[in-house]
Amino acid sequence: MVFHKRRWLVRRLFFNHEQIRTMSRVKRRTTHPPYWHVLKNNQREDEKISSDNLRFVREVIQDKYKNKSPIKGSDLDIEKTVWDPKTKRSGVIARNIGVQHMWEKDGKKVICTVLHVLDNHVVRYVPPEEYAKSVIGTKMFKNRKPLGCLVVGAEAANPDRFTRQYCSLFDEVGLLPKKRLARFIVTPNAALPPCTPLTAGHFVIGQAVDVYGKTIDYGFQGVVKRWGFKGGPASHGATKFHRRGGTIGTGRDKARVWPGQKMPGHMGSERRFNRGLKIVRINMKYNIIYVKGTVPGPTNSIVQIFDTILPRRRFTEAPPHPTYFPPEDGTLPQEDIWDSSLHVFGSPSISV
């Protein structure tokens, strides 16, 4: 009787299944499109539209979605607010267009990711009182002060490709329907009115940013590639055991497969953050940002860029607040801005 009690106590102390569980049983990823973005089922039309009628339809669409930017018009005035270290600004939607090597002045090679900031416009601002009552806001601001939300859209497209319900989101704003939408949590002093454009000038050289995206989808992979297992021997009697994982449990006290066991399965396609990436170059003409390091996702994937939340890499000076606007006197900004540590191609490399 004493032996059975001792064995039960050892099981409770060293085989507590609730403490060692590391993997969720819930499916973490979905490969289908989001349910809130319903694609339009385009039907084939037998009647051919003449070139004159097609030109007339395009003119009507342009007149309907002709936006009035607060930079060029005086209908929308942006309230001038003061920046403070606790301010949370909006982010931008960008496309990862590849990796480029750069060199510092001491000859060290640096790997940089090239991010193209698309035609970003503010679609809507949700005040803190309204956003705190939403489904996501209720969970996010359960035990803290609520903040507002900026809905930003990118990549304008033809309205015929979307449903009427989706196009109605942009009717009040006067913008063409956007392919991409994103939400950014902002403080009240960083709110922006609708139609405000967001460019690469929203960030500055030397700033640390966080990049959010979806990692590369590798599909179903084995344990060697997914978890880095060594695998079995190549020869000496090994038969169909070269890349297998081996045993996944025992038959005694365990007698089952514990949750969190590393096994073959779906690899990649996860939402990830890369934090603290330094901006080393900005091209204002083409809205391109060069960040030091890599970002999640393959080439041509969509990512979100915003100010970092790392406490030691935050702003020490006021950035373009609430965003960057061209000078009022009409002067053009510098086209290509480089970090002081990089070697600018075309400049002399040897000074006497």
Side-chain angles (χ1 to χ4, degrees):
M1 187 68 180
V2 177
F3 173 76
H4 290 291
K5 287 185 177 180
R6 186 178 301 172
R7 187 175 182 182
W8 174 82
L9 182 60
V10 170
R11 285 184 179 181
R12 291 296 302 271
L13 292 178
F14 299 99
F15 299 98
N16 192 343
H17 311 305
E18 297 179 358
Q19 293 182 359
I20 64 173
R21 178 179 174 182
T22 58
M23 182 180 293
S24 174
R25 299 181 182 180
V26 183
K27 187 176 181 181
R28 302 191 310 274
R29 64 181 70 81
T30 55
T31 55
H32 57 78
Y35 64 90
W36 61 83
H37 191 178
V38 181
L39 298 179
K40 184 178 180 180
N41 185 14
N42 293 323
Q43 301 293 335
R44 182 177 179 181
E45 298 180 358
D46 297 334
E47 298 181 1
K48 295 183 178 180
I49 303 177
S50 62
S51 58
D52 296 338
N53 293 338
L54 184 60
R55 191 182 307 108
F56 174 74
V57 171
R58 291 177 179 176
E59 292 177 359
V60 172
I61 292 176
Q62 292 294 335
D63 294 340
K64 181 179 179 181
Y65 293 98
K66 187 177 181 181
N67 63 321
K68 296 181 180 179
S69 175
I71 296 179
K72 300 178 181 179
S74 59
D75 297 338
L76 296 174
D77 296 329
I78 297 180
E79 183 181 356
K80 301 297 182 180
T81 56
V82 180
W83 178 86
D84 59 85
K86 295 184 179 180
T87 300
K88 294 191 67 173
R89 302 190 307 155
S90 173
V92 297
I93 305 174
R95 183 183 295 276
N96 177 13
I97 60 177
V99 177
Q100 182 176 352
H101 296 277
M102 293 188 180
W103 282 263
E104 296 182 353
K105 293 183 178 180
D106 57 356
K108 181 180 178 181
K109 185 171 68 173
V110 179
I111 298 178
C112 298
T113 305
V114 186
L115 303 175
H116 179 209
V117 179
L118 308 172
D119 53 338
N120 285 243
H121 287 85
V122 176
V123 178
R124 190 162 68 99
Y125 171 68
V126 184
E129 299 79 12
E130 182 180 349
Y131 189 64
K133 299 178 182 179
S134 62
V135 177
I136 300 178
T138 305
K139 299 179 181 179
M140 185 179 300
F141 305 108
K142 186 177 181 180
N143 297 322
R144 55 176 179 156
K145 183 180 178 180
L147 298 176
C149 169
L150 269 181
V151 181
V152 180
E155 279 192 315
N158 188 2
D160 295 338
R161 299 181 55 185
F162 304 98
T163 59
R164 183 178 299 178
Q165 291 79 6
Y166 185 76
C167 293
S168 63
L169 300 175
F170 308 90
D171 289 343
E172 298 180 359
V173 186
L175 293 170
L176 285 170
K178 302 286 187 177
K179 292 183 181 179
R180 317 289 177 180
L181 289 177
R183 290 178 296 186
F184 297 99
I185 304 300
V186 297
T187 51
N189 61 340
L192 292 169
C195 290
T196 305
L198 301 174
T199 60
H202 187 72
F203 304 100
V204 295
I205 292 294
Q207 176 187 352
V209 295
D210 296 343
V211 181
Y212 171 75
K214 183 185 288 187
T215 59
I216 300 176
D217 188 5
Y218 291 95
F220 195 95
Q221 296 295 332
V223 293
V224 175
K225 184 171 184 177
R226 191 185 186 197
W227 301 109
F229 282 16
K230 182 181 179 180
S235 60
H236 295 283
T239 303
K240 298 181 180 180
F241 193 73
H242 308 293
R243 296 177 66 89
R244 287 180 174 267
T247 178
I248 59 174
T250 60
R252 292 192 61 188
D253 296 333
K254 194 175 179 181
R256 67 188 182 93
V257 180
W258 284 5
Q261 177 67 33
K262 296 180 179 179
M263 299 177 67
H266 196 157
M267 178 181 176
S269 188
E270 299 275 5
R271 301 284 183 176
R272 290 292 181 265
F273 290 89
N274 274 20
R275 301 192 184 276
L277 301 180
K278 180 182 178 182
I279 296 179
V280 295
R281 182 183 174 187
I282 297 178
N283 191 298
M284 300 293 291
K285 182 178 179 181
Y286 298 102
N287 278 338
I288 294 179
I289 298 176
Y290 297 78
V291 295
K292 188 176 181 179
T294 58
V295 302
T299 306
N300 292 327
S301 61
I302 300 297
V303 297
Q304 300 176 14
I305 314 173
F306 43 88
D307 301 337
T308 184
I309 63 173
L310 300 180
R312 295 188 177 182
R313 297 190 181 183
R314 289 182 178 177
F315 278 117
T316 56
E317 299 179 358
H321 178 73
T323 186
Y324 170 79
F325 296 102
E328 297 180 358
D329 56 358
T331 58
L332 297 177
Q334 187 177 354
E335 181 177 334
D336 209 356
I337 308 174
W338 295 66
D339 188 67
S340 59
S341 62
L342 292 180
H343 170 68
V344 181
F345 296 98
S347 62
S349 57
I350 299 176
S351 59
V352 180

